[in-house]
Structures are given as structure tokens and as C-alpha cells.
Amino acid sequence: MPESPETHVIDYRAAEQLLAARDPRGAVKLLDSVIAAHPENTAARLLRARAFFAAAQLRPAELEFELVLEREPDNAFAHFALARTYERAGRPEQATKHFRLAAALDPRPEYLKAARFDSGSGSGPVSGD
């Protein structure tokens, strides 16, 4: 059966379900064909980045999150997720930058809390006193 736009929508929705069911590798497989057919689809790329992250494939996750941010620099979630990717990869300075960008773009409590991320260096957040 040839692929159609409807097939890609079905694959995207199935990938969402697989990710929710903790099968990130299955989600990536479905999203690969969606992205091959629609490389401009930022939502599919963001979902694939999340799946890569969940599968502990940090470098592919990082590349996808960065691509999303090139297209949507004001995407707070993508900044937050990229920061978590950097954090998990042991790159706290880069993580802090993106945690702060996420919090500046969207003051959700979890973004604000993460923006005060302490890399373990012993120096806490900078205060005014």
C-alpha cells in the first residue's frame, strides 16, 4: 500500500501512543518515515526528539531539539527538553542556558525551578545581596 498523507498522520498518532506506552524506539521507527516524507514538520521532529531522549539516544535527541529551535526559537518546551538532554549528557553549563531560556519564554513552575539549576559546583544561584 503506497504511503499517503493519511498514512503519515496515522503513523504520527501511533508514535505518540508508543511513546506514551514507553516504546520510544518503536515511535522513532514510525516517525522516520513521516519525517522522510515531511522534513519540514516540526511537530514530528519534536516528537522524534522526545522519543530519542526517552530511548537514551542523547546525540540524536540533541540534534532534533536544536533543529526545532532553529525553526522555532521561542519554543519553551524545546529549550527545556534540550536542557534536560544536556543535563543528562553531563553538560551543565549548556543545560543552564536553555533552562533559563525556557523559563524566560514560559514561566511554568518546572521551568522556573530548573532555571535555578545548580551544576554541583557548590555555587548556588546568583543573588542580589
Side-chain angles (χ1 to χ4, degrees):
M1 181 175 172
E3 289 186 0
S4 68
E6 293 81 17
T7 302
H8 297 133
V9 170
I10 292 167
D11 286 348
Y12 178 88
R13 296 294 179 213
E16 288 179 317
Q17 294 300 314
L18 286 171
L19 188 56
R22 292 187 163 84
D23 181 5
R25 292 181 192 277
V28 167
K29 286 179 187 176
L30 285 175
L31 291 166
D32 285 345
S33 65
V34 173
I35 291 170
H38 304 281
E40 75 290 348
N41 188 318
T42 304
R45 289 195 175 272
L46 187 58
L47 186 61
R48 187 164 71 169
R50 291 177 48 218
F52 280 137
F53 180 84
Q57 295 180 1
L58 300 182
R59 185 64 181 147
E62 176 185 340
L63 294 172
E64 287 289 349
F65 285 129
E66 288 174 345
L67 193 138
V68 169
L69 287 169
E70 284 176 18
R71 296 175 181 182
E72 298 178 3
D74 61 345
N75 187 321
F77 175 78
H79 280 289
F80 183 77
L82 179 59
R84 287 282 184 228
T85 305
Y86 286 143
E87 179 181 56
R88 199 166 172 190
R91 295 159 62 190
E93 297 82 18
Q94 290 169 297
T96 299
K97 173 187 170 188
H98 286 279
F99 280 137
R100 290 179 179 161
L101 285 166
L105 291 165
D106 184 348
R108 292 178 191 220
E110 64 268 29
Y111 295 178
L112 292 171
K113 182 178 178 185
R116 293 178 187 85
F117 175 75
D118 181 3
S119 66
S121 64
S123 62
V126 177
S127 66
D129 25 296

